[in-house]
Amino acid sequence: MNITADTIIRGDIDIVWAIVIDVANWPKWDPHELAARLDGPFAAGTKGWSKPRGAPPATWTITRVVDKREWASESPLPGGKRSGESKYEPLVGGRIRCARTVSVTGLLVPLFHLHFARLIRRDMLATWQALEKEAARRKLL
């Protein structure tokens, strides 16, 4: 099962990317995150942990990073896994297309489909709105 969403925000890709890879500070600007940490550099193979609002905490591993363009991660689920891929495409006029896909496999697919899919999609949009706001705030510093 895949959950996808995308939007276009305004921002400087260098500032946006710096915000995205600063995992420890996600809870300061992202309304979806209550706590987060990364156990090393923002690179493939590094493990992280986060506690999203309204969901159980998750340990995840970064599986791919393309600087200032995209990153992906995986986390185990009972009898399956959750994978996420976030992409940032710079556009003309200081805009960035943000896209996220969350894929779930295994025994928990029905639960994700019935309960979490709508919430995850809503949270993606709230996160991008907050990211745009945080990028504008940092640009003024």
mmCIF file of all heavy atoms in Angstrom, residues 36-87:
data_model
loop_
_atom_site.group_PDB
_atom_site.id
_atom_site.type_symbol
_atom_site.label_atom_id
_atom_site.label_comp_id
_atom_site.label_asym_id
_atom_site.label_seq_id
_atom_site.Cartn_x
_atom_site.Cartn_y
_atom_site.Cartn_z
ATOM 1 N N ALA A 36 12.671 13.525 18.043
ATOM 2 C CA ALA A 36 13.422 12.893 16.952
ATOM 3 C C ALA A 36 14.911 12.964 17.246
ATOM 4 O O ALA A 36 15.383 13.892 17.904
ATOM 5 C CB ALA A 36 13.115 13.572 15.621
ATOM 6 N N ARG A 37 15.629 11.981 16.722
ATOM 7 C CA ARG A 37 17.092 12.002 16.829
ATOM 8 C C ARG A 37 17.675 11.196 15.668
ATOM 9 O O ARG A 37 17.015 10.341 15.086
ATOM 10 C CB ARG A 37 17.557 11.455 18.161
ATOM 11 C CG ARG A 37 17.464 9.968 18.308
ATOM 12 C CD ARG A 37 18.241 9.442 19.529
ATOM 13 N NE ARG A 37 18.262 8.013 19.480
ATOM 14 C CZ ARG A 37 17.376 7.220 20.070
ATOM 15 N NH1 ARG A 37 16.385 7.726 20.780
ATOM 16 N NH2 ARG A 37 17.476 5.913 19.955
ATOM 17 N N LEU A 38 18.917 11.487 15.371
ATOM 18 C CA LEU A 38 19.661 10.768 14.352
ATOM 19 C C LEU A 38 20.959 10.330 14.994
ATOM 20 O O LEU A 38 21.646 11.128 15.643
ATOM 21 C CB LEU A 38 19.916 11.679 13.148
ATOM 22 C CG LEU A 38 20.432 11.023 11.883
ATOM 23 C CD1 LEU A 38 19.442 9.988 11.356
ATOM 24 C CD2 LEU A 38 20.690 12.073 10.819
ATOM 25 N N ASP A 39 21.325 9.066 14.825
ATOM 26 C CA ASP A 39 22.498 8.493 15.483
ATOM 27 C C ASP A 39 23.725 8.525 14.589
ATOM 28 O O ASP A 39 24.428 7.528 14.450
ATOM 29 C CB ASP A 39 22.200 7.065 15.939
ATOM 30 C CG ASP A 39 21.035 7.001 16.916
ATOM 31 O OD1 ASP A 39 20.826 7.982 17.655
ATOM 32 O OD2 ASP A 39 20.330 5.981 16.929
ATOM 33 N N GLY A 40 23.980 9.673 13.969
ATOM 34 C CA GLY A 40 25.125 9.812 13.079
ATOM 35 C C GLY A 40 24.824 10.834 12.007
ATOM 36 O O GLY A 40 23.878 11.609 12.121
ATOM 37 N N PRO A 41 25.623 10.827 10.926
ATOM 38 C CA PRO A 41 25.410 11.798 9.851
ATOM 39 C C PRO A 41 24.146 11.470 9.054
ATOM 40 O O PRO A 41 23.673 10.330 9.057
ATOM 41 C CB PRO A 41 26.659 11.631 8.975
ATOM 42 C CG PRO A 41 27.094 10.224 9.211
ATOM 43 C CD PRO A 41 26.752 9.925 10.653
ATOM 44 N N PHE A 42 23.607 12.464 8.380
ATOM 45 C CA PHE A 42 22.428 12.254 7.529
ATOM 46 C C PHE A 42 22.912 11.579 6.249
ATOM 47 O O PHE A 42 23.210 12.233 5.242
ATOM 48 C CB PHE A 42 21.743 13.590 7.231
ATOM 49 C CG PHE A 42 20.343 13.425 6.722
ATOM 50 C CD1 PHE A 42 19.275 13.385 7.601
ATOM 51 C CD2 PHE A 42 20.090 13.306 5.367
ATOM 52 C CE1 PHE A 42 17.983 13.233 7.156
ATOM 53 C CE2 PHE A 42 18.804 13.143 4.900
ATOM 54 C CZ PHE A 42 17.743 13.106 5.793
ATOM 55 N N ALA A 43 23.024 10.248 6.316
ATOM 56 C CA ALA A 43 23.587 9.465 5.219
ATOM 57 C C ALA A 43 22.991 8.064 5.244
ATOM 58 O O ALA A 43 22.514 7.598 6.285
ATOM 59 C CB ALA A 43 25.111 9.376 5.359
ATOM 60 N N ALA A 44 23.043 7.396 4.101
ATOM 61 C CA ALA A 44 22.544 6.023 4.013
ATOM 62 C C ALA A 44 23.220 5.158 5.070
ATOM 63 O O ALA A 44 24.435 5.254 5.284
ATOM 64 C CB ALA A 44 22.788 5.457 2.620
ATOM 65 N N GLY A 45 22.417 4.366 5.759
ATOM 66 C CA GLY A 45 22.914 3.466 6.788
ATOM 67 C C GLY A 45 22.776 4.003 8.202
ATOM 68 O O GLY A 45 22.862 3.240 9.167
ATOM 69 N N THR A 46 22.560 5.304 8.348
ATOM 70 C CA THR A 46 22.413 5.893 9.680
ATOM 71 C C THR A 46 21.013 5.620 10.216
ATOM 72 O O THR A 46 20.037 5.722 9.493
ATOM 73 C CB THR A 46 22.678 7.413 9.642
ATOM 74 O OG1 THR A 46 24.009 7.630 9.159
ATOM 75 C CG2 THR A 46 22.536 8.036 11.014
ATOM 76 N N LYS A 47 20.969 5.275 11.498
ATOM 77 C CA LYS A 47 19.689 5.000 12.150
ATOM 78 C C LYS A 47 19.159 6.259 12.813
ATOM 79 O O LYS A 47 19.917 7.101 13.280
ATOM 80 C CB LYS A 47 19.831 3.896 13.185
ATOM 81 C CG LYS A 47 20.170 2.549 12.552
ATOM 82 C CD LYS A 47 19.938 1.414 13.507
ATOM 83 C CE LYS A 47 20.270 0.088 12.860
ATOM 84 N NZ LYS A 47 19.549 -0.220 11.673
ATOM 85 N N GLY A 48 17.834 6.349 12.853
ATOM 86 C CA GLY A 48 17.172 7.458 13.508
ATOM 87 C C GLY A 48 15.984 6.948 14.304
ATOM 88 O O GLY A 48 15.609 5.769 14.220
ATOM 89 N N TRP A 49 15.418 7.832 15.075
ATOM 90 C CA TRP A 49 14.255 7.496 15.899
ATOM 91 C C TRP A 49 13.372 8.732 15.933
ATOM 92 O O TRP A 49 13.871 9.867 15.995
ATOM 93 C CB TRP A 49 14.707 7.143 17.309
ATOM 94 C CG TRP A 49 13.578 6.904 18.264
ATOM 95 C CD1 TRP A 49 12.973 5.711 18.542
ATOM 96 C CD2 TRP A 49 12.920 7.872 19.091
ATOM 97 N NE1 TRP A 49 11.982 5.890 19.481
ATOM 98 C CE2 TRP A 49 11.928 7.219 19.836
ATOM 99 C CE3 TRP A 49 13.067 9.247 19.266
ATOM 100 C CZ2 TRP A 49 11.088 7.874 20.733
ATOM 101 C CZ3 TRP A 49 12.241 9.907 20.156
ATOM 102 C CH2 TRP A 49 11.274 9.207 20.886
ATOM 103 N N SER A 50 12.063 8.521 15.866
ATOM 104 C CA SER A 50 11.146 9.643 15.990
ATOM 105 C C SER A 50 9.848 9.186 16.639
ATOM 106 O O SER A 50 9.475 8.015 16.573
ATOM 107 C CB SER A 50 10.866 10.296 14.631
ATOM 108 O OG SER A 50 10.362 9.361 13.722
ATOM 109 N N LYS A 51 9.201 10.153 17.285
ATOM 110 C CA LYS A 51 7.904 9.916 17.918
ATOM 111 C C LYS A 51 6.918 10.882 17.282
ATOM 112 O O LYS A 51 6.842 12.049 17.632
ATOM 113 C CB LYS A 51 7.993 10.138 19.438
ATOM 114 C CG LYS A 51 6.643 10.156 20.166
ATOM 115 C CD LYS A 51 5.843 8.886 19.948
ATOM 116 C CE LYS A 51 4.542 8.891 20.711
ATOM 117 N NZ LYS A 51 3.357 9.084 19.882
ATOM 118 N N PRO A 52 6.146 10.389 16.304
ATOM 119 C CA PRO A 52 5.149 11.246 15.674
ATOM 120 C C PRO A 52 3.930 11.437 16.586
ATOM 121 O O PRO A 52 3.604 10.568 17.387
ATOM 122 C CB PRO A 52 4.746 10.485 14.411
ATOM 123 C CG PRO A 52 5.554 9.250 14.371
ATOM 124 C CD PRO A 52 6.260 9.101 15.669
ATOM 125 N N ARG A 53 3.280 12.555 16.426
ATOM 126 C CA ARG A 53 2.048 12.820 17.156
ATOM 127 C C ARG A 53 0.982 11.811 16.708
ATOM 128 O O ARG A 53 0.767 11.604 15.527
ATOM 129 C CB ARG A 53 1.587 14.245 16.863
ATOM 130 C CG ARG A 53 0.426 14.725 17.683
ATOM 131 C CD ARG A 53 0.116 16.193 17.409
ATOM 132 N NE ARG A 53 1.277 17.070 17.483
ATOM 133 C CZ ARG A 53 1.819 17.538 18.614
ATOM 134 N NH1 ARG A 53 1.313 17.194 19.771
ATOM 135 N NH2 ARG A 53 2.863 18.338 18.577
ATOM 136 N N GLY A 54 0.357 11.140 17.668
ATOM 137 C CA GLY A 54 -0.732 10.221 17.367
ATOM 138 C C GLY A 54 -0.318 8.863 16.843
ATOM 139 O O GLY A 54 -1.154 8.097 16.362
ATOM 140 N N ALA A 55 0.960 8.547 16.912
ATOM 141 C CA ALA A 55 1.449 7.256 16.416
ATOM 142 C C ALA A 55 2.551 6.761 17.347
ATOM 143 O O ALA A 55 3.151 7.550 18.085
ATOM 144 C CB ALA A 55 1.977 7.387 14.994
ATOM 145 N N PRO A 56 2.827 5.469 17.303
ATOM 146 C CA PRO A 56 3.902 4.949 18.154
ATOM 147 C C PRO A 56 5.275 5.412 17.666
ATOM 148 O O PRO A 56 5.444 5.742 16.498
ATOM 149 C CB PRO A 56 3.757 3.432 18.023
ATOM 150 C CG PRO A 56 2.967 3.201 16.790
ATOM 151 C CD PRO A 56 2.143 4.418 16.549
ATOM 152 N N PRO A 57 6.264 5.432 18.566
ATOM 153 C CA PRO A 57 7.620 5.791 18.140
ATOM 154 C C PRO A 57 8.154 4.765 17.144
ATOM 155 O O PRO A 57 7.718 3.616 17.132
ATOM 156 C CB PRO A 57 8.428 5.780 19.435
ATOM 157 C CG PRO A 57 7.616 5.036 20.427
ATOM 158 C CD PRO A 57 6.194 5.086 19.974
ATOM 159 N N ALA A 58 9.090 5.228 16.324
ATOM 160 C CA ALA A 58 9.643 4.347 15.296
ATOM 161 C C ALA A 58 11.150 4.518 15.210
ATOM 162 O O ALA A 58 11.667 5.628 15.273
ATOM 163 C CB ALA A 58 9.016 4.650 13.942
ATOM 164 N N THR A 59 11.840 3.409 15.054
ATOM 165 C CA THR A 59 13.257 3.410 14.717
ATOM 166 C C THR A 59 13.335 3.173 13.217
ATOM 167 O O THR A 59 12.637 2.318 12.686
ATOM 168 C CB THR A 59 13.997 2.296 15.477
ATOM 169 O OG1 THR A 59 13.845 2.533 16.878
ATOM 170 C CG2 THR A 59 15.469 2.271 15.118
ATOM 171 N N TRP A 60 14.170 3.926 12.527
ATOM 172 C CA TRP A 60 14.268 3.829 11.084
ATOM 173 C C TRP A 60 15.721 3.967 10.644
ATOM 174 O O TRP A 60 16.566 4.413 11.405
ATOM 175 C CB TRP A 60 13.390 4.867 10.386
ATOM 176 C CG TRP A 60 13.343 6.214 11.058
ATOM 177 C CD1 TRP A 60 12.469 6.616 12.026
ATOM 178 C CD2 TRP A 60 14.215 7.327 10.831
ATOM 179 N NE1 TRP A 60 12.743 7.918 12.404
ATOM 180 C CE2 TRP A 60 13.795 8.372 11.685
ATOM 181 C CE3 TRP A 60 15.298 7.542 9.993
ATOM 182 C CZ2 TRP A 60 14.423 9.609 11.717
ATOM 183 C CZ3 TRP A 60 15.932 8.779 10.019
ATOM 184 C CH2 TRP A 60 15.491 9.792 10.873
ATOM 185 N N THR A 61 15.972 3.552 9.426
ATOM 186 C CA THR A 61 17.308 3.616 8.840
ATOM 187 C C THR A 61 17.227 4.381 7.534
ATOM 188 O O THR A 61 16.360 4.095 6.694
ATOM 189 C CB THR A 61 17.865 2.203 8.576
ATOM 190 O OG1 THR A 61 17.869 1.474 9.808
ATOM 191 C CG2 THR A 61 19.273 2.258 8.005
ATOM 192 N N ILE A 62 18.112 5.349 7.362
ATOM 193 C CA ILE A 62 18.187 6.060 6.090
ATOM 194 C C ILE A 62 18.746 5.097 5.043
ATOM 195 O O ILE A 62 19.772 4.462 5.259
ATOM 196 C CB ILE A 62 19.070 7.315 6.199
ATOM 197 C CG1 ILE A 62 18.457 8.311 7.187
ATOM 198 C CG2 ILE A 62 19.268 7.960 4.817
ATOM 199 C CD1 ILE A 62 19.334 9.521 7.465
ATOM 200 N N THR A 63 18.042 4.985 3.920
ATOM 201 C CA THR A 63 18.464 4.055 2.868
ATOM 202 C C THR A 63 19.065 4.754 1.650
ATOM 203 O O THR A 63 19.785 4.141 0.873
ATOM 204 C CB THR A 63 17.283 3.188 2.406
ATOM 205 O OG1 THR A 63 16.222 4.047 1.956
ATOM 206 C CG2 THR A 63 16.795 2.295 3.534
ATOM 207 N N ARG A 64 18.752 6.039 1.486
ATOM 208 C CA ARG A 64 19.283 6.770 0.319
ATOM 209 C C ARG A 64 19.236 8.263 0.613
ATOM 210 O O ARG A 64 18.278 8.762 1.191
ATOM 211 C CB ARG A 64 18.446 6.455 -0.921
ATOM 212 C CG ARG A 64 18.948 7.109 -2.184
ATOM 213 C CD ARG A 64 18.140 6.733 -3.428
ATOM 214 N NE ARG A 64 16.785 7.276 -3.396
ATOM 215 C CZ ARG A 64 15.678 6.580 -3.151
ATOM 216 N NH1 ARG A 64 15.752 5.287 -2.893
ATOM 217 N NH2 ARG A 64 14.493 7.147 -3.145
ATOM 218 N N VAL A 65 20.276 8.966 0.186
ATOM 219 C CA VAL A 65 20.310 10.427 0.263
ATOM 220 C C VAL A 65 20.885 10.951 -1.044
ATOM 221 O O VAL A 65 21.949 10.509 -1.474
ATOM 222 C CB VAL A 65 21.174 10.932 1.441
ATOM 223 C CG1 VAL A 65 21.278 12.455 1.412
ATOM 224 C CG2 VAL A 65 20.628 10.452 2.767
ATOM 225 N N VAL A 66 20.174 11.860 -1.680
ATOM 226 C CA VAL A 66 20.688 12.616 -2.813
ATOM 227 C C VAL A 66 20.661 14.070 -2.352
ATOM 228 O O VAL A 66 19.581 14.635 -2.150
ATOM 229 C CB VAL A 66 19.831 12.417 -4.081
ATOM 230 C CG1 VAL A 66 20.378 13.258 -5.228
ATOM 231 C CG2 VAL A 66 19.762 10.944 -4.468
ATOM 232 N N ASP A 67 21.830 14.641 -2.145
ATOM 233 C CA ASP A 67 21.959 15.959 -1.529
ATOM 234 C C ASP A 67 21.028 16.989 -2.163
ATOM 235 O O ASP A 67 21.019 17.167 -3.388
ATOM 236 C CB ASP A 67 23.413 16.426 -1.637
ATOM 237 C CG ASP A 67 23.682 17.647 -0.789
ATOM 238 O OD1 ASP A 67 23.239 17.688 0.374
ATOM 239 O OD2 ASP A 67 24.337 18.581 -1.303
ATOM 240 N N LYS A 68 20.243 17.635 -1.310
ATOM 241 C CA LYS A 68 19.329 18.708 -1.695
ATOM 242 C C LYS A 68 18.258 18.260 -2.682
ATOM 243 O O LYS A 68 17.631 19.093 -3.340
ATOM 244 C CB LYS A 68 20.093 19.917 -2.241
ATOM 245 C CG LYS A 68 21.036 20.510 -1.225
ATOM 246 C CD LYS A 68 21.789 21.676 -1.793
ATOM 247 C CE LYS A 68 22.856 22.126 -0.788
ATOM 248 N NZ LYS A 68 23.728 23.131 -1.358
ATOM 249 N N ARG A 69 18.007 16.963 -2.771
ATOM 250 C CA ARG A 69 17.008 16.449 -3.707
ATOM 251 C C ARG A 69 16.058 15.431 -3.084
ATOM 252 O O ARG A 69 14.865 15.497 -3.290
ATOM 253 C CB ARG A 69 17.675 15.785 -4.912
ATOM 254 C CG ARG A 69 18.400 16.720 -5.805
ATOM 255 C CD ARG A 69 17.447 17.552 -6.581
ATOM 256 N NE ARG A 69 18.185 18.245 -7.631
ATOM 257 C CZ ARG A 69 17.664 19.173 -8.378
ATOM 258 N NH1 ARG A 69 16.417 19.521 -8.227
ATOM 259 N NH2 ARG A 69 18.391 19.771 -9.281
ATOM 260 N N GLU A 70 16.623 14.444 -2.367
ATOM 261 C CA GLU A 70 15.743 13.406 -1.826
ATOM 262 C C GLU A 70 16.432 12.596 -0.743
ATOM 263 O O GLU A 70 17.645 12.582 -0.639
ATOM 264 C CB GLU A 70 15.250 12.471 -2.930
ATOM 265 C CG GLU A 70 16.333 11.633 -3.572
ATOM 266 C CD GLU A 70 15.792 10.776 -4.698
ATOM 267 O OE1 GLU A 70 15.584 11.318 -5.798
ATOM 268 O OE2 GLU A 70 15.575 9.559 -4.472
ATOM 269 N N TRP A 71 15.569 11.936 0.051
ATOM 270 C CA TRP A 71 16.073 10.973 1.018
ATOM 271 C C TRP A 71 14.992 9.930 1.241
ATOM 272 O O TRP A 71 13.804 10.173 1.000
ATOM 273 C CB TRP A 71 16.517 11.644 2.305
ATOM 274 C CG TRP A 71 15.434 12.155 3.203
ATOM 275 C CD1 TRP A 71 14.711 13.290 3.042
ATOM 276 C CD2 TRP A 71 14.972 11.537 4.399
ATOM 277 N NE1 TRP A 71 13.820 13.430 4.077
ATOM 278 C CE2 TRP A 71 13.964 12.367 4.921
ATOM 279 C CE3 TRP A 71 15.310 10.378 5.087
ATOM 280 C CZ2 TRP A 71 13.282 12.064 6.101
ATOM 281 C CZ3 TRP A 71 14.633 10.082 6.261
ATOM 282 C CH2 TRP A 71 13.638 10.915 6.751
ATOM 283 N N ALA A 72 15.430 8.750 1.645
ATOM 284 C CA ALA A 72 14.498 7.644 1.872
ATOM 285 C C ALA A 72 14.908 6.911 3.141
ATOM 286 O O ALA A 72 16.069 6.944 3.556
ATOM 287 C CB ALA A 72 14.518 6.685 0.681
ATOM 288 N N SER A 73 13.914 6.258 3.763
ATOM 289 C CA SER A 73 14.180 5.499 4.980
ATOM 290 C C SER A 73 13.263 4.285 5.044
ATOM 291 O O SER A 73 12.254 4.212 4.332
ATOM 292 C CB SER A 73 13.956 6.374 6.219
ATOM 293 O OG SER A 73 12.592 6.736 6.335
ATOM 294 N N GLU A 74 13.628 3.347 5.915
ATOM 295 C CA GLU A 74 12.825 2.146 6.161
ATOM 296 C C GLU A 74 12.766 1.901 7.651
ATOM 297 O O GLU A 74 13.726 2.192 8.376
ATOM 298 C CB GLU A 74 13.447 0.914 5.501
ATOM 299 C CG GLU A 74 13.362 0.892 4.011
ATOM 300 C CD GLU A 74 13.913 -0.403 3.419
ATOM 301 O OE1 GLU A 74 14.505 -1.229 4.157
ATOM 302 O OE2 GLU A 74 13.773 -0.571 2.200
ATOM 303 N N SER A 75 11.642 1.360 8.083
ATOM 304 C CA SER A 75 11.525 0.932 9.479
ATOM 305 C C SER A 75 10.753 -0.369 9.522
ATOM 306 O O SER A 75 9.821 -0.579 8.742
ATOM 307 C CB SER A 75 10.852 2.001 10.340
ATOM 308 O OG SER A 75 9.555 2.267 9.871
ATOM 309 N N PRO A 76 11.155 -1.259 10.429
ATOM 310 C CA PRO A 76 10.457 -2.541 10.522
ATOM 311 C C PRO A 76 9.086 -2.365 11.183
ATOM 312 O O PRO A 76 8.892 -1.505 12.035
ATOM 313 C CB PRO A 76 11.383 -3.382 11.406
ATOM 314 C CG PRO A 76 12.146 -2.386 12.222
ATOM 315 C CD PRO A 76 12.269 -1.161 11.374
ATOM 316 N N LEU A 77 8.156 -3.173 10.736
ATOM 317 C CA LEU A 77 6.835 -3.303 11.352
ATOM 318 C C LEU A 77 6.624 -4.779 11.638
ATOM 319 O O LEU A 77 7.242 -5.630 10.981
ATOM 320 C CB LEU A 77 5.739 -2.813 10.397
ATOM 321 C CG LEU A 77 5.706 -1.343 10.044
ATOM 322 C CD1 LEU A 77 4.664 -1.094 8.957
ATOM 323 C CD2 LEU A 77 5.405 -0.508 11.273
ATOM 324 N N PRO A 78 5.771 -5.132 12.567
ATOM 325 C CA PRO A 78 5.494 -6.558 12.785
ATOM 326 C C PRO A 78 5.016 -7.222 11.481
ATOM 327 O O PRO A 78 4.022 -6.803 10.901
ATOM 328 C CB PRO A 78 4.376 -6.550 13.837
ATOM 329 C CG PRO A 78 4.543 -5.240 14.547
ATOM 330 C CD PRO A 78 5.036 -4.275 13.502
ATOM 331 N N GLY A 79 5.780 -8.162 10.989
ATOM 332 C CA GLY A 79 5.418 -8.879 9.764
ATOM 333 C C GLY A 79 5.559 -8.073 8.496
ATOM 334 O O GLY A 79 5.004 -8.432 7.460
ATOM 335 N N GLY A 80 6.308 -6.967 8.516
ATOM 336 C CA GLY A 80 6.452 -6.152 7.312
ATOM 337 C C GLY A 80 7.404 -4.997 7.527
ATOM 338 O O GLY A 80 8.277 -5.034 8.386
ATOM 339 N N LYS A 81 7.214 -3.931 6.739
ATOM 340 C CA LYS A 81 8.048 -2.747 6.895
ATOM 341 C C LYS A 81 7.313 -1.521 6.364
ATOM 342 O O LYS A 81 6.362 -1.614 5.589
ATOM 343 C CB LYS A 81 9.396 -2.896 6.207
ATOM 344 C CG LYS A 81 9.354 -2.867 4.693
ATOM 345 C CD LYS A 81 10.751 -2.959 4.113
ATOM 346 C CE LYS A 81 10.684 -3.010 2.601
ATOM 347 N NZ LYS A 81 11.993 -3.060 1.991
ATOM 348 N N ARG A 82 7.801 -0.366 6.812
ATOM 349 C CA ARG A 82 7.336 0.919 6.319
ATOM 350 C C ARG A 82 8.512 1.603 5.658
ATOM 351 O O ARG A 82 9.599 1.684 6.226
ATOM 352 C CB ARG A 82 6.817 1.789 7.466
ATOM 353 C CG ARG A 82 6.214 3.101 6.950
ATOM 354 C CD ARG A 82 5.915 4.085 8.020
ATOM 355 N NE ARG A 82 7.000 4.854 8.592
ATOM 356 C CZ ARG A 82 7.898 5.609 7.964
ATOM 357 N NH1 ARG A 82 7.940 5.644 6.666
ATOM 358 N NH2 ARG A 82 8.781 6.308 8.614
ATOM 359 N N SER A 83 8.326 2.073 4.440
ATOM 360 C CA SER A 83 9.363 2.796 3.704
ATOM 361 C C SER A 83 8.839 4.184 3.385
ATOM 362 O O SER A 83 7.652 4.355 3.092
ATOM 363 C CB SER A 83 9.697 2.086 2.388
ATOM 364 O OG SER A 83 10.088 0.760 2.613
ATOM 365 N N GLY A 84 9.711 5.156 3.445
ATOM 366 C CA GLY A 84 9.328 6.522 3.097
ATOM 367 C C GLY A 84 10.342 7.137 2.177
ATOM 368 O O GLY A 84 11.545 6.871 2.278
ATOM 369 N N GLU A 85 9.855 7.938 1.246
ATOM 370 C CA GLU A 85 10.727 8.627 0.304
ATOM 371 C C GLU A 85 10.257 10.074 0.199
ATOM 372 O O GLU A 85 9.086 10.326 -0.079
ATOM 373 C CB GLU A 85 10.649 7.955 -1.062
ATOM 374 C CG GLU A 85 11.502 8.592 -2.119
ATOM 375 C CD GLU A 85 11.391 7.855 -3.447
ATOM 376 O OE1 GLU A 85 10.393 8.081 -4.163
ATOM 377 O OE2 GLU A 85 12.295 7.050 -3.724
ATOM 378 N N SER A 86 11.155 11.013 0.455
ATOM 379 C CA SER A 86 10.853 12.443 0.365
ATOM 380 C C SER A 86 11.701 13.056 -0.735
ATOM 381 O O SER A 86 12.910 12.829 -0.779
ATOM 382 C CB SER A 86 11.154 13.143 1.690
ATOM 383 O OG SER A 86 10.329 12.653 2.710
ATOM 384 N N LYS A 87 11.045 13.840 -1.605
ATOM 385 C CA LYS A 87 11.749 14.473 -2.717
ATOM 386 C C LYS A 87 11.506 15.979 -2.688
ATOM 387 O O LYS A 87 10.420 16.432 -2.340
ATOM 388 C CB LYS A 87 11.275 13.904 -4.050
ATOM 389 C CG LYS A 87 11.630 12.451 -4.224
ATOM 390 C CD LYS A 87 11.260 11.954 -5.605
ATOM 391 C CE LYS A 87 11.726 10.516 -5.768
ATOM 392 N NZ LYS A 87 11.566 10.061 -7.143
#
